[in-house]
Amino acid sequence: MKEFINAIVKMAREVAIEHHGFVEEDGFLFSPSTILLVGEIEESNRQHLIDQALASGNKDMFLELIKN
């Protein structure tokens, strides 16, 4: 019975990845909306660091952040 359940779980993961845009990383499935949210948070953090570099006059930090 356990093998049967494992096979169903494996097939469900494959369907989620292939047909619904899920991403598997380190054994976890992430939905497309989660991936977008993480990207938005990373960009927000980068923008905040750019603002800090501008406010402090840190040219090197600013140039490093805008080249990526």
Side-chain angles (χ1 to χ4, degrees):
M1 183 68 164
K2 186 173 182 169
E3 290 175 7
F4 177 71
I5 292 173
N6 288 340
I8 291 174
V9 169
K10 182 180 177 186
M11 288 179 5
R13 290 176 86 83
E14 290 172 3
V15 168
I17 292 168
E18 291 178 23
H19 300 288
H20 299 287
F22 280 66
V23 174
E24 185 171 11
E25 187 172 315
D26 297 329
F28 295 97
L29 285 180
F30 296 99
S31 71
S33 59
T34 301
I35 301 300
L36 288 173
L37 179 60
V38 168
E40 290 174 9
I41 291 169
E42 288 174 342
E43 179 58 23
S44 176
N45 287 338
R46 189 178 79 83
Q47 288 297 323
H48 177 70
L49 290 173
I50 289 171
D51 291 343
Q52 283 183 330
L54 286 172
S56 68
N58 188 337
K59 181 181 176 184
D60 293 332
M61 182 178 168
F62 174 77
L63 292 174
E64 182 67 29
L65 289 165
I66 64 167
K67 77 177 183 181
N68 294 331

